[in-house]
Every structure is written in C-alpha cells, then in structure tokens.
Amino acid sequence: MSKQSPETWPNDPGLKPISGRWSARSDVTPLQEDATADLVKSADGSDGGDTAGHDEREGDGTAGHDESEGDGTAGHDESESGGAAGRGGEIRQSAADAAAEFGAAADEVDDAAAGLLGVNRTDLRILGLVSAAGAMTAGVLAVRARLSPAATTAAIQRLAAAGHLRRDVDPADRRRAVVRVTAEASAMLDLAYGPIAEAGHRLLTAYSPAELTLIVDFLRVGRRMQLDQAARIRAAAASREERQAGI
C-alpha cells in the first residue's frame, strides 16, 4: 500500500489520516440560505408594489382597509425573514457540531491506533511522520514533530526499544544517522489506517463534483483556521513563559 504524505498522518496539523472521514452532509448550505432570503425579500417587494397600485385605484374609501392589510403583510414578511434567519443559524450550528464530532471521531481512531501499537499519541505521531518520509534524521524529526531535541531522542529510544523504529545510516551522507519504521510497525500502521482510505473513497462516490468541491473548500479553509489558532496558542504559551522567566 502506498504511503500517505506527512500531512495525512495521525495528529499532523489540520488533516487526519485520509479523506475518507468525510461523513457529515448537509443538503442546505448557508449560501443557499442567503439566496432563499434574497428571493423572499424580492417577492416581498413586488407584492408591496402591486398592493400600492391597487390601493391607489380603489381610492380613499378603502385606505383604512388597505393600511390594515399592509400592516398584516409587513408582520408576515418580518416573521418569514426571522424564520429564515433562524433556520440559517440552526444549520450553521449543526455544521459546527458535525465538524466537532468529526474531529472527536478522528481522535478515537488515533487512540485506537496508538493502542494497537502500544504507544502514546506523541510516539504515534512520530511513527506517522517517519513512515511518510521513509527515513528521517533526529533533527528533522524534532522540527516536524515540534519537539525538543531531548524529547525527540527519548521518543526514538522508546520506539526503537519497542521494535517500531530502527536506526540506519543515511545513504546520502554516511556520516549521518536516520531512523526508519520497522516492517512490523509499518504493517500495523497499514492495518490501522489503510482501510480508512478505502472506506473514505467509497463514501465520496455518493457526492456530486459540486458537493465535493464545496467539501474540499470547507476542509481547506477549516485547516487554515485550525493552524492559525494553533499558532495563536503557541504564541500565548511563549509569552507566558517569558513573563514567568522575567524576560
């Protein structure tokens, strides 16, 4: 089975192991809600114009009657507009809830995969990064995993002792050492994540190209938002550490 790119492995920022976890679907989007609201407003305006012309033709004798009907129509229009806005809010909340549930379900998969290999989530992330790259130096791995050199060395030692990583000489520079995922660990990663790719692609066949385009756009925008928020949190943590150190 082919290896996924680094961005598609467990806990890599923003994306989960494979696209097959797209499970939530909404037949009505916020854009469709806005279009519906515009149509309602347009219809209200044309109805108001017809009523006004009818009022002028009828004369002053029915002015009071027309005014009361106009007030009733206005109230009805406001009620419809309020209802459309309420439905739009409900759909947006449902979408937000579905996205949160999607992320929670993805975490469940990663927890299960970590249990299969007998590792913690940080070590699972390291295995995913090394497996996707084929081989990595400890320095590059530390940067990709956002770990300190000491923490990366400790993780490599744990994974090597568990039989999940092996040290090797870098064929491009024999002065450097690299780490690789063992055949046994690679087989377990494929067992955990391989079927997700197949199931995901089967799910995607139920969607039209237009729907898939919308889904891809949502996921990419959402990924960018998540990365921005992660950067914000890291900056807050760094600022806090500086204050505590008296810098």
Side-chain angles (χ1 to χ4, degrees):
M1 181 170 294
S2 63
K3 303 299 182 185
Q4 293 93 0
S5 64
E7 288 76 19
T8 61
W9 275 97
N11 287 339
D12 214 70
L15 297 181
K16 282 301 175 183
I18 205 69
S19 60
R21 296 190 190 177
W22 295 346
S23 59
R25 179 181 181 183
S26 174
D27 293 329
V28 181
T29 68
L31 290 177
Q32 290 171 324
E33 281 293 310
D34 292 341
T36 301
D38 289 339
L39 288 174
V40 170
K41 292 177 182 177
S42 176
D44 293 342
S46 62
D47 287 343
D50 292 344
T51 302
H54 177 70
D55 293 346
E56 289 179 3
R57 290 191 297 271
E58 288 289 281
D60 295 337
T62 58
H65 177 68
D66 293 338
E67 183 177 348
S68 64
E69 284 191 349
D71 292 341
T73 302
H76 179 65
D77 293 343
E78 291 176 1
S79 176
E80 284 189 350
S81 298
R87 288 190 298 275
E90 290 174 2
I91 292 171
R92 284 188 289 272
Q93 185 59 52
S94 295
D97 291 343
E101 292 164 0
F102 178 91
D107 283 340
E108 289 285 335
V109 171
D110 288 344
D111 284 341
L116 175 66
L117 283 99
V119 300
N120 59 41
R121 290 286 293 272
T122 297
D123 288 358
L124 179 68
R125 173 177 169 76
I126 287 174
L127 286 174
L129 291 169
V130 175
S131 178
M136 269 190 177
T137 65
V140 171
L141 181 57
V143 173
R144 290 299 313 277
R146 297 183 184 277
L147 295 173
S148 68
T152 303
T153 299
I156 291 173
Q157 290 174 345
R158 286 194 304 270
L159 291 168
H164 296 323
L165 286 182
R166 63 181 177 86
R167 294 179 177 87
D168 201 355
V169 176
D170 186 353
D173 185 350
R174 300 190 65 81
R175 295 170 298 177
R176 295 192 309 180
V178 295
V179 291
R180 302 179 188 274
V181 174
T182 63
E184 293 79 6
S186 180
M188 283 190 281
L189 288 171
D190 284 342
L191 174 64
Y193 291 104
I196 298 175
E198 298 169 6
H201 286 295
R202 285 196 299 272
L203 286 177
L204 294 178
T205 61
Y207 296 86
S208 69
E211 289 172 323
L212 291 175
T213 299
L214 181 63
I215 291 170
V216 169
D217 180 66
F218 171 77
L219 290 175
R220 285 176 175 167
V221 172
R223 178 178 183 271
R224 183 69 261 168
M225 182 271 290
Q226 294 278 31
L227 292 177
D228 289 344
Q229 292 302 312
R232 175 187 61 81
I233 295 169
R234 291 191 189 100
S239 177
R240 180 182 180 185
E241 290 175 359
E242 290 177 357
R243 289 197 301 272
Q244 291 176 341
I247 299 177

